[in-house]
Amino acid sequence: MKYKLILLLGFLSLNTNSIYSQIYGYVKDEQNTSIPYVNVVLLSPTDSTFVEGTTTNTNGYFYFNKYSNLSNLLIQLSSIGYKTTILPVTELSEKITLHDETTQLNEVMIKASRPVYKMRGTNLIVNVQNSIMKDFASANEVIERLPGIKGRDGTFQISGKGEAIIYINNRKVNDAKELERLNANDIQTIEIIKNPGVQYDASTKAVIKIRLKKNENNGFGGTLTLRGRLGKRFSDSEYVQLIYNTVHINTFMSMSNYSTRLRTDQRNNNITYTSDIWNMHTNMMGWNTQYYTHNITAGISYLPHKYHTIGGSLSYSSNNDRYGGPSETEMKKGNILYENLNSNIFSWNNYKQLIGNIYYSGKWGKRWNINFNGDYIHHISDDREDNLEKGSMTPQHQVKNLLDATYNIYAGKLQFNYKLSSNMSLTFGLDGSHLSEDKSTLSTDEDVTGSKSLLRTEETKYAGFTSYEWNYKKVSLQAGIRYEKLAMEYNDGLIRETLIDKTYRHLYPSIFFSLPIGQTEMAISYTTKVKRPSFYQLRSSTEYGNRYNSTQGNPYLLP
């Protein structure tokens, strides 16, 4: 369990006489106006690896501290509507000007407009409809460009926090591909929550909430989207959506296909320190990868009254991945060549997934708001990998890995909000989930005895929460507490033995207070979080890279 005391202080001025090497600056536009919420990222100059990130504050300032070797860093500044700037940190001036990004089409100059940002405590709210982001292709492309966010393809991290959980209209996103299917023009606002309250799971590090705009058009409608991307190989996607709306009923059905084809070159270097130093250098050149994803989704919502909505959706996806190619490994003991290995690796990954959701959202009287969401997920996957390996010290042999998994998830959340006054509210509710998974693995090697595993996983979680919120002008206070009970049971099906049978009960308090002083943004928060191992970390199977490199999970890991 992790306990965090976080103190966030804005600043008006910057101290240039620190004993540390500092990186700071003021970002402005061509009209000498400060630009808030600019993404500022430090990168490694050798491979552009992410080092650290931040955003400019409301006055256009940014600040990094405690860097001893500035010559080894690049700095990248980017914001919607402006050209991205990248330069060595050693060439950074105290004032940086970002230039407007313009697009010229048939002698007509179109100037990009700025997005509309709003701060609520430490939360950032972006009005997509009032910005050029509404013309982007998908929700993925919008989120990728938001301040303080890095990531892609439905998986995003918030700087200083970690991976974010994503919600669309208070519904948790369980399929990352949904963000690619969501048209940017359908989004009203996006809220970035850096300090999630007690209404979220105790393992939640950050939240991205997407609120869709209301569709006020009745009758039939449709959307057809075709995209193509050419790199070393051609990738394409096709998406069609049909809708039918009346005053009280909204229905939709969509079908999509995503075909991604890649040809990649990769070099890896691993150093292992034992009594000797082992250096493994691997070249994986000319690998071919294909991802094929098909989806069909249908949904309906019923509005018996303007303050009440009942609905549901059903989504089916199938995914087929193929990748592989040659792998050349040079193994050295110190500076002396120990062995050269050559492998041909091919992998097949397939899954089928069914997701169902039902929901209710309503306003009762002037003070009560009630929201309910129920989810069901059924997932089946099978993975195969063949590795034909031969080395100067290793006779040719073939390793095969097989993994079959099936899991079911049932989850529900009921939340009440009571408005005590114009600036005070009380939120409370319940949520729970149950997961069951069956996983079998088989690994065979022509030269050694193979291995087999059969693991059954059961997890049940119940939680209750309550929180109080008070706002007065720009001052905000939130305080709450969450209780969680988690029961975990892992069984080995081969030896018919229970590996883990644990029940955890914890209270997770949370408090947040923000108080702007002049132009200084000040906030203090205390949260209690838990870090639970992922399914991948709990796997009992072994992934074979070569005779010197293999990885395995640990089903005994605990939160």
Side-chain angles (χ1 to χ4, degrees):
M1 189 182 299
K2 294 185 175 179
Y3 299 88
K4 296 183 178 179
L5 180 60
I6 304 171
L7 181 63
L8 301 174
L9 294 175
F11 50 88
L12 279 171
S13 60
L14 302 170
N15 181 7
T16 60
N17 298 316
S18 172
I19 60 173
Y20 301 109
S21 297
Q22 299 172 335
I23 304 171
Y24 61 89
Y26 168 76
V27 184
K28 60 186 181 67
D29 61 17
E30 294 173 322
Q31 287 73 43
N32 291 320
T33 303
S34 62
I35 310 176
Y37 315 120
V38 174
N39 269 322
V40 187
V41 178
L42 297 179
L43 304 172
S44 168
T46 55
D47 53 7
S48 297
T49 301
F50 176 87
V51 176
E52 187 178 355
T54 187
T55 60
T56 58
N57 64 9
T58 54
N59 302 312
Y61 289 100
F62 68 89
Y63 177 76
F64 297 100
N65 196 12
K66 298 184 180 180
Y67 281 91
S68 58
N69 192 349
L70 303 185
S71 62
N72 289 334
L73 294 171
L74 296 174
I75 190 166
Q76 175 181 290
L77 300 98
S78 60
S79 181
I80 300 296
Y82 298 93
K83 294 180 180 178
T84 298
T85 298
I86 302 176
L87 69 160
V89 169
T90 52
E91 298 179 11
L92 184 67
S93 60
E94 186 175 346
K95 294 183 178 181
I96 305 102
T97 301
L98 294 187
H99 299 282
D100 293 334
E101 186 172 38
T102 57
T103 304
Q104 188 170 1
L105 298 172
N106 296 327
E107 303 302 324
V108 177
M109 191 69 70
I110 302 172
K111 182 178 178 179
S113 60
R114 302 181 200 173
V116 177
Y117 295 109
K118 177 183 177 182
M119 292 296 298
R120 186 170 65 188
T122 57
N123 295 354
L124 177 65
I125 302 173
V126 184
N127 192 325
V128 176
Q129 287 300 307
N130 286 353
S131 75
I132 62 172
M133 291 185 288
K134 71 178 185 298
D135 297 322
F136 290 176
S138 67
N140 265 333
E141 293 189 19
V142 174
I143 298 174
E144 286 173 9
R145 291 165 171 80
L146 296 181
I149 291 182
K150 58 188 179 72
R152 56 179 299 173
D153 298 333
T155 302
F156 299 97
Q157 293 78 38
I158 295 179
S159 296
K161 294 296 179 179
E163 186 171 338
I165 305 299
I166 301 174
Y167 287 81
I168 299 177
N169 282 357
N170 294 318
R171 175 181 56 83
K172 185 178 179 181
V173 174
N174 293 304
D175 179 7
K177 289 291 185 182
E178 184 175 355
L179 296 179
E180 187 64 26
R181 298 193 294 268
L182 177 59
N183 194 309
N185 194 38
D186 293 330
I187 301 173
Q188 183 66 45
T189 62
I190 298 178
E191 182 175 6
I192 301 171
I193 303 174
K194 296 183 178 181
N195 297 287
V198 294
Q199 61 267 43
Y200 300 101
D201 187 276
S203 62
T204 303
K205 301 180 180 69
V207 173
I208 298 174
K209 291 181 67 174
I210 299 173
R211 184 168 66 89
L212 303 181
K213 69 179 185 181
K214 293 182 180 180
N215 190 341
E216 299 178 350
N217 297 320
N218 294 328
F220 286 98
T223 301
L224 175 63
T225 304
L226 305 175
R227 301 176 194 158
R229 183 175 67 243
L230 181 62
K232 292 183 178 180
R233 300 184 65 189
F234 181 74
S235 298
D236 63 276
S237 65
E238 298 79 35
Y239 174 77
V240 59
Q241 182 184 56
L242 301 175
I243 60 173
Y244 175 70
N245 298 329
T246 66
V247 175
H248 297 290
I249 296 177
N250 297 324
T251 61
F252 76 92
M253 185 180 73
S254 66
M255 293 173 285
S256 63
N257 168 72
Y258 298 93
S259 302
T260 303
R261 305 168 187 89
L262 305 172
R263 183 177 177 87
T264 60
D265 299 326
Q266 182 175 334
R267 295 180 177 87
N268 299 324
N269 193 55
N270 297 321
I271 300 176
T272 304
Y273 296 93
T274 60
S275 55
D276 298 300
I277 298 176
W278 295 86
N279 192 318
M280 183 174 67
H281 182 76
T282 304
N283 289 327
M284 295 182 289
M285 313 300 288
W287 275 44
N288 289 311
T289 302
Q290 298 98 29
Y291 303 112
Y292 300 106
T293 302
H294 313 286
N295 173 271
I296 181 169
T297 301
I300 183 172
S301 62
Y302 173 58
L303 289 78
H305 187 273
K306 65 178 181 178
Y307 293 131
H308 301 275
T309 304
I310 303 170
S313 63
L314 195 63
S315 177
Y316 174 78
S317 299
S318 66
N319 192 86
N320 300 286
D321 300 343
R322 305 286 185 269
Y323 59 91
S327 174
E328 299 176 352
T329 300
E330 181 184 74
M331 192 70 180
K332 287 185 177 181
K333 182 179 180 181
N335 294 321
I336 301 174
L337 179 64
Y338 187 78
E339 183 177 15
N340 283 318
L341 279 173
N342 292 295
S343 304
N344 281 301
I345 303 172
F346 295 96
S347 295
W348 300 262
N349 309 120
N350 308 289
Y351 78 76
K352 294 176 173 61
Q353 182 169 268
L354 179 68
I355 299 178
N357 170 261
I358 56 174
Y359 64 91
Y360 166 77
S361 178
K363 181 178 179 180
W364 293 80
K366 296 181 179 180
R367 296 182 180 271
W368 286 96
N369 285 280
I370 302 174
N371 286 280
F372 170 77
N373 267 280
D375 293 292
Y376 169 70
I377 303 174
H378 177 67
H379 184 101
I380 301 175
S381 64
D382 63 275
D383 303 334
R384 304 288 185 268
E385 181 180 272
D386 287 350
N387 188 335
L388 184 63
E389 183 179 65
K390 183 179 181 180
S392 56
M393 298 173 56
T394 304
Q396 180 171 300
H397 66 125
Q398 188 173 32
V399 179
K400 293 186 177 183
N401 294 308
L402 295 87
L403 169 63
D404 295 314
T406 301
Y407 67 77
N408 294 281
I409 298 176
Y410 302 86
K413 183 176 181 179
L414 177 63
Q415 181 173 305
F416 300 86
N417 180 268
Y418 180 72
K419 194 172 184 179
L420 298 169
S421 67
S422 60
N423 60 348
M424 289 189 294
S425 64
L426 183 68
T427 300
F428 57 93
L430 301 168
D431 65 61
S433 63
H434 176 76
L435 177 146
S436 61
E437 181 185 40
D438 293 294
K439 184 183 295 182
S440 64
T441 66
L442 177 64
S443 179
T444 61
D445 191 327
E446 295 176 338
D447 292 346
V448 298
T449 304
S451 62
K452 185 178 181 180
S453 69
L454 181 61
L455 187 67
R456 169 76 175 179
T457 303
E458 296 271 357
E459 286 189 4
T460 303
K461 183 183 67 180
Y462 301 104
F465 57 87
T466 183
S467 67
Y468 167 82
E469 182 174 353
W470 172 79
N471 296 283
Y472 179 72
K473 295 183 179 180
K474 293 185 178 181
V475 181
S476 178
L477 171 66
Q478 299 174 29
I481 192 165
R482 180 182 179 89
Y483 171 78
E484 283 190 1
K485 177 183 176 182
L486 175 65
M488 307 166 61
E489 183 176 325
Y490 299 162
N491 297 286
D492 191 320
L494 294 179
I495 61 176
R496 299 183 182 277
E497 179 180 333
T498 299
L499 304 177
I500 295 176
D501 187 0
K502 295 281 188 180
T503 299
Y504 300 91
R505 299 175 178 87
H506 288 292
L507 285 172
Y508 300 95
S510 174
I511 186 167
F512 171 82
F513 178 70
S514 66
L515 174 64
I517 301 176
Q519 293 183 344
T520 303
E521 298 172 11
M522 174 180 167
I524 184 171
S525 68
Y526 172 83
T527 59
T528 310
K529 296 294 183 182
V530 63
K531 184 176 182 180
R532 300 189 178 100
S534 66
F535 291 140
Y536 182 76
Q537 292 171 320
L538 293 170
R539 74 196 189 284
S540 57
S541 60
T542 300
E543 295 181 6
Y544 185 88
N546 56 48
R547 61 170 295 193
Y548 300 105
N549 181 25
S550 61
T551 60
Q552 185 176 10
N554 181 2
Y556 294 96
L557 289 175
L558 299 177

